[in-house]
Amino acid sequence: MKVLIVGAGLAGLRTAESLRGAGFAGEITIVGEEPHFPYNRPPLSKDALANGLTIADLEFKRRESIADVRWIFNDSALSTNYAERSVLLESGRLESFDILVAATGIRPRVLNVPGAEKSKFSLRNFTEAQELRTSMLGAEKLVIVGAGFIGCEIAATARKLGINVAVVAADPEPMFRPLGAEFGRAMRERHEAEGVKFHMDAKIAGYLGGDSATGVSLESGEEILGDLVVEAIGSLPNTEWLAGGELDLQDGVLVDSSMRATAPSDLSVYAVGDVARYAFDLFDSTPRRIEHWNLPTETGRRAGKSIAHFLTTGEVLVEPVNFVPSFWSDQYEDNVQSFGIPGIADSINVVDGELAGDCVVEYLRDGKVVGVVGVNTSAKLAPYRKRFQEIN
Ligand SMILES: Cc1cc2nc3c(=O)[nH]c(=O)nc-3n(C[C@H](O)[C@H](O)[C@H](O)COP(=O)(O)OP(=O)(O)OC[C@H]3O[C@@H](n4cnc5c(N)ncnc54)[C@H](O)[C@@H]3O)c2cc1C
């Protein structure tokens, strides 16, 4: 029996560990397009960008139980032959599988506007973090397109390095979609107090500069100038290599609670981590793809256990998804933390402190708490994880 895991990130790593933990003794191969063992991405917009960490600082420890895993680096999956049960890699190599696990994560979405091509950066992997850091160190002003978590974290890191920052975004407030307008406004004010200039509700018409980007022009006619531009406008799931079968690949791979892809006849494909879309049963039955650091571990564990169970018994393991999405974000000296799915709420209630300072904010939908977000209040937030698991 051979399990082929495509994507050598946190989700792929956790799936392999869980397979071995659940007693799977067959072959495990992990294919990754990067040249590295799985490493931790959150520092890429924080410590690694500010202080230049090495890949050795970021790599996850690999357990003894997966010492016999076969790793293929610097190669990526191009296509899948479901009938033959094989994946074609860019090198021309064909990897067969009995069970296939998609752990390919996401890539940054690219802004499709005309103008200069160079000095435009995005941030998803170690190489991009190194390139961005090198360029930032010589820069006086940075233009960041996008005001989500990554854009805001890069802004905070750049300010720490003494670089002037302008953030340009189409939304009305930073982190508007996951955290809503009121919390977003409070976060904008924290950034403004640190010197960041925001251009919100702005539509970008193009990049300025000849060869290298020297800023952006807006549809309003305004021009925002800088030495380099970072795009942080969201993500696209890496699923192209899975096309041509029966899988539902609209916004990631649709999977059931055992992380098995929902397809009429294909029981051998699973998906984990940022690339997977599934229902969070504690909240509702709508499948969602959520890019939080705890979910590659939760989904990897579930997939490994489900696959081992299926291979041993021939039966599908049915367990509800009881994972509570959680994330943190470090911006300046503030630690923003969340549990649940605040982005689906219709109102908020500040239950501790105030939005401008340290606080705990409950997010409600139809009067029921579906998320909680806090600033510098992690001890007060932690009990919510259990609470979501108990009350829902
Ligand atoms: C800069 C940054 C900061 C972050 N900060 C936070 C934070 O503060 N808090 C938080 O909760 N979350 C944060 N996250 C999100 C968190 O890191 C992700 O949720 C997590 O890394 C997802 O793990 P994954 O294994 O699903 O995907 P990834 O870690 O992206 O791994 C997928 C791997 O698959 C590879 N791959 C893609 N396509 C192919 C292919 N066709 N063939 C072979 N390999 C392929 C990719 O190169 C990659 O190595 C951050 C992410 C980034 C990028």
Side-chain angles (χ1 to χ4, degrees), residues 300-312:
R301 278 190 192 140
R302 176 65 59 91
K305 189 172 145 192
S306 309
I307 294 166
H309 182 85
F310 181 67
L311 292 177
T312 318

Side-chain angles (χ1 to χ4, degrees), residues 4-305:
L4 177 64
I5 300 174
V6 180
L10 178 57
L13 175 71
R14 295 290 184 248
T15 305
E17 289 171 352
S18 169
L19 276 163
R20 287 289 184 249
F24 174 72
E27 186 184 329
I28 302 175
T29 296
I30 303 184
V31 181
E33 72 178 1
E34 294 185 70
H36 313 295
F37 283 109
Y39 61 89
N40 203 16
R41 284 176 211 274
L44 297 182
S45 48
K46 309 173 185 80
D47 269 15
L49 199 55
N51 305 317
L53 302 181
T54 66
I55 193 72
D57 296 323
L58 299 173
E59 265 179 20
F60 294 112
K61 269 208 180 98
R62 293 182 303 285
R63 291 189 189 154
E64 200 42 49
S65 63
I66 59 157
D68 62 351
V69 163
R70 192 172 141 247
W71 297 87
I72 299 173
F73 295 118
N74 279 316
D75 210 349
S76 58
L78 288 187
S79 60
T80 305
N81 185 327
Y82 293 94
E84 306 269 321
R85 290 183 181 249
S86 64
V87 172
L88 175 66
L89 306 188
E90 200 177 5
S91 60
R93 204 166 172 158
L94 211 54
E95 283 293 322
S96 63
F97 64 83
D98 295 296
I99 301 281
L100 177 62
V101 181
T104 39
I106 55 174
R107 62 181 180 276
R109 206 155 69 76
V110 175
L111 199 61
N112 193 11
V113 294
E117 288 296 325
K118 290 189 195 153
S119 298
K120 279 167 26 184
F121 295 82
S122 54
L123 182 55
R124 180 70 193 169
N125 60 40
F126 181 68
T127 308
E128 289 167 345
Q130 278 182 311
E131 287 167 359
L132 178 58
R133 179 175 153 76
T134 305
S135 296
M136 271 171 66
L137 291 179
E140 277 179 22
K141 184 167 173 196
L142 180 63
V143 178
I144 300 173
V145 179
F149 285 106
I150 307 255
C152 286
E153 288 185 354
I154 296 172
T157 302
R159 289 303 299 134
K160 270 191 193 166
L161 294 172
I163 302 166
N164 293 319
V165 177
V167 175
V168 185
D171 286 333
E173 296 291 354
M175 294 164 280
F176 174 71
R177 279 169 236 199
L179 302 184
E182 286 162 279
F183 199 96
R185 187 178 316 119
M187 288 306 295
R188 173 170 54 77
E189 285 165 4
R190 287 172 198 253
H191 279 270
E192 284 171 341
E194 299 285 344
V196 176
K197 179 104 179 65
F198 282 88
H199 304 263
M200 303 306 292
D201 284 320
K203 289 229 165 63
I204 299 204
Y207 281 100
L208 299 167
D211 207 15
S212 297
T214 54
V216 292
S217 61
L218 307 186
E219 284 184 4
S220 64
E222 198 179 347
E223 295 189 341
I224 322 288
L225 298 173
D227 302 308
L228 54 133
V229 182
V230 183
E231 282 184 358
I233 54 165
S235 58
L236 292 172
N238 294 318
T239 54
E240 289 77 2
W241 63 281
L242 287 164
E246 299 167 353
L247 309 188
D248 180 340
L249 300 177
Q250 293 171 49
D251 190 26
V253 188
L254 180 66
V255 293
D256 64 17
S257 64
S258 62
M259 301 299 124
R260 192 176 48 116
T262 52
S265 57
D266 214 330
L267 296 181
S268 55
V269 182
Y270 291 69
V272 290
D274 281 4
V275 80
R277 180 165 57 97
Y278 48 94
F280 289 79
D281 297 322
L282 297 176
F283 300 90
D284 58 27
S285 58
T286 305
R288 294 191 169 81
R289 199 175 58 71
I290 298 185
E291 300 165 11
H292 292 350
W293 192 86
N294 75 315
L295 296 173
T297 295
E298 299 279 14
T299 53
R301 278 190 192 140
R302 176 65 59 91
K305 189 172 145 192

